[in-house]
Amino acid sequence: MAAVLQVLPCVARAPLRPLLSGGPVVRQASGMALAEQAQQLFESTVGAVLPGPMLHRALSLDPGSGLLKVRDRSFQLRQNLHLVGFGKAVLGMAAAAEELLGQHLVQGVISVPKGIRAAMERAGKQEMLLKPHSRVQVFEGAEDNLPDRDALRAALAIRQLAEGLTADDLLLVLISGGGSALLPAPIPPVTLEEKQTLTKLLAARGANIQELNTIRKALSQLKGGGLAQAAYPAQVVSLILSDVVGDPVEVIASGPTVASVHNVQDCLHILNRYGLRAALPRSVKTVLARADSDPHGPHTCGHVLNVIIGSNVLALAEAQRRAEALGYRAVVLSAAIQGDVKSVARFYGLLAQVAGAHLTPPGTAASMEQEEQLHELAAELQLPDLRLKEALETVVGAGGPVCLLAGGEPTVQLQGSGKGGRNQELALRVGAELGRWPPGPVDVLFLSGGTDGQDGPTEAAGAWVVPELASQAAAEGLDVASFLSCSDSHTFFRCFHGGVHLLHTGLTGTNVMDAHLLLLRPR
């Protein structure tokens, strides 16, 4: 690997340019490139779940009576409203809340990613920024989506605000993806470093988000309903932008306003599964033992209203509409893609092969064995909402371009010391899969991107690939398998074709997991 990188230094090129508009139909010869269309569809996915519009759809305030309506519930405002928030989309959510609530907002504290205010200013996204003399205090932290001392200070300020409320107060809680890392408040004697190390070990061994959050909640003062308990007896309204498959409110940001349904035995089972129980620091064992003997029993959150205001499902629905406007037959396969990234990549590779064959003349059709393999792999992935049969039926009757859409959050088991993220890893693996079969007379493109605009500790949101990727990479002296063997997908894409396959959006101000696009177009 080192020799390859020494022989072929990476030269950064301009990222794929953002699109401004598209025509009403797919143009094959003189129109937009397939890659540009894929990026446009990804941008529409993100645009559907921007925080301001979503918050305004969820809240309405009658200026005369001071009644705040949240879905079908009403709350009386009398300069008694307080606000806290944490997550990648919370800066924009707080700006929208501040505009809507005006003088009723007494004070607020939010915890947002490091550098996000400057990024929004540079991008000219004024709607994502608080007013100059805002009553909301902003903390920035959790660089590279990892809890740190800055995020800890924010969490303690949020706890202090919540603990000072009375029965006459209303606490508005804004929650989005990334909230776990931005609200770290470990239960003493556990230190932030110990909790962070344990979380990293679990993630590196392939633990999914549900498992990670189960452990986080057990070691946290504020997660697993802890924030709601701190705010009691005030009423609490949580507006949640989901970044978790299935939108379970107890999992998103580790459920700070939802009573935890997990116990110590659940935690020990997870730690055993990944071989970490014996290596636990004494502090973690102390906290788990103390929780097991808590005489107060589980917390309840009867004073809380939790409302999901945005999700991956909503984002994919908008991308489907946009794809159809571009002339594609579009189907949403699933908003619950999860599992090991290798299996997910194999699934998309087989799907492209089978779907592509259905779009071409007889004689190039995929074998029955390949179609059986696709269905078997789909069953192994256990995706609860998968619409594979409907998607293949749509392809058979399409007679033209097809767009298959999905979303979720696959899991990567880290190997080596490379740099990347799950979207770039998935794209690179799908690219390798696509190269295993001759595409025939059909153009194929796969794109995977994080809706927050940041894939792992990189500045890219994801990447896009075509069947020729592996052969073209080899011509440049790049071996796909070598990069995958050390989880170094970002370095690969930065080198390959000068980086043009990387998806650059900048921080988007929202977060509803990832979006996957598979475009197939007969030649």
Side-chain angles (χ1 to χ4, degrees), residues 77-158:
L77 299 188
R78 299 181 295 269
Q79 279 75 47
N80 60 341
L81 180 67
H82 306 258
L83 181 151
V84 297
F86 30 91
K88 295 179 179 179
V90 160
L91 182 62
M93 293 170 76
E98 179 181 58
E99 178 187 350
L100 176 71
L101 300 169
Q103 295 302 309
H104 291 289
L105 179 58
V106 177
Q107 61 175 335
V109 177
I110 61 173
S111 179
V112 296
K114 189 175 182 65
I116 192 168
R117 284 181 293 183
M120 293 300 149
E121 287 173 359
R122 287 195 301 270
K125 297 182 178 179
Q126 294 301 314
E127 72 280 5
M128 296 277 190
L129 298 171
L130 293 162
K131 296 176 182 177
H133 303 290
S134 175
R135 297 178 181 181
V136 179
Q137 185 179 9
V138 180
F139 288 82
E140 293 191 2
E143 192 168 9
D144 292 334
N145 203 31
L146 296 172
D148 55 21
R149 290 288 160 186
D150 291 329
L152 176 59
R153 281 191 287 271
L156 296 180
I158 286 171

Side-chain angles (χ1 to χ4, degrees), residues 470-500:
S471 60
Q472 292 176 356
E476 294 188 20
L478 300 170
D479 178 49
V480 171
S482 296
F483 284 93
L484 287 173
S485 69
C486 56
S487 300
D488 204 18
S489 56
H490 181 69
T491 302
F492 171 86
F493 281 115
R494 193 162 49 84
C495 293
F496 179 56
H497 286 178
V500 296

Side-chain angles (χ1 to χ4, degrees), residues 103-287:
Q103 295 302 309
H104 291 289
L105 179 58
V106 177
Q107 61 175 335
V109 177
I110 61 173
S111 179
V112 296
K114 189 175 182 65
I116 192 168
R117 284 181 293 183
M120 293 300 149
E121 287 173 359
R122 287 195 301 270
K125 297 182 178 179
Q126 294 301 314
E127 72 280 5
M128 296 277 190
L129 298 171
L130 293 162
K131 296 176 182 177
H133 303 290
S134 175
R135 297 178 181 181
V136 179
Q137 185 179 9
V138 180
F139 288 82
E140 293 191 2
E143 192 168 9
D144 292 334
N145 203 31
L146 296 172
D148 55 21
R149 290 288 160 186
D150 291 329
L152 176 59
R153 281 191 287 271
L156 296 180
I158 286 171
R159 187 190 68 182
Q160 184 179 22
L161 185 153
E163 289 177 341
L165 302 180
T166 71
D168 294 325
D169 292 316
L170 174 64
L171 179 65
L172 183 62
V173 183
L174 308 177
I175 302 174
S176 77
S180 287
L182 287 158
L183 195 73
I187 300 172
V190 177
T191 66
L192 181 63
E193 290 74 19
E194 287 171 332
K195 187 177 175 184
Q196 188 172 343
T197 297
L198 180 57
T199 301
K200 280 183 178 179
L201 286 172
L202 283 164
R205 297 191 183 192
N208 62 33
I209 187 65
Q210 290 85 354
E211 292 169 326
L212 289 172
N213 284 354
T214 298
I215 300 298
R216 285 168 175 157
K217 287 189 286 187
L219 303 177
S220 174
Q221 299 178 53
L222 296 176
K223 298 181 173 78
L227 176 59
Q229 289 301 120
Y232 186 82
Q235 288 184 298
V236 178
V237 173
S238 287
L239 302 182
I240 304 167
L241 183 59
S242 173
D243 73 328
V244 180
V245 167
D247 306 332
V249 291
E250 72 277 5
V251 174
I252 303 164
S254 303
T257 57
V258 185
S260 178
V261 297
H262 298 289
N263 56 35
V264 173
Q265 289 306 313
D266 295 322
C267 295
L268 295 179
H269 178 69
I270 293 167
L271 294 167
N272 281 331
R273 178 181 303 167
Y274 296 103
L276 292 172
R277 185 171 177 180
L280 292 178
R282 182 180 298 274
S283 60
V284 173
K285 294 178 181 178
T286 298
V287 169

Side-chain angles (χ1 to χ4, degrees), residues 38-46 447 449-451 461 503 505 515 517:
Q39 178 167 322
Q40 185 173 354
L41 292 175
F42 179 75
E43 290 170 352
S44 70
T45 304
V46 172
L447 178 149
T451 56
L503 181 64
T505 63
L517 288 77

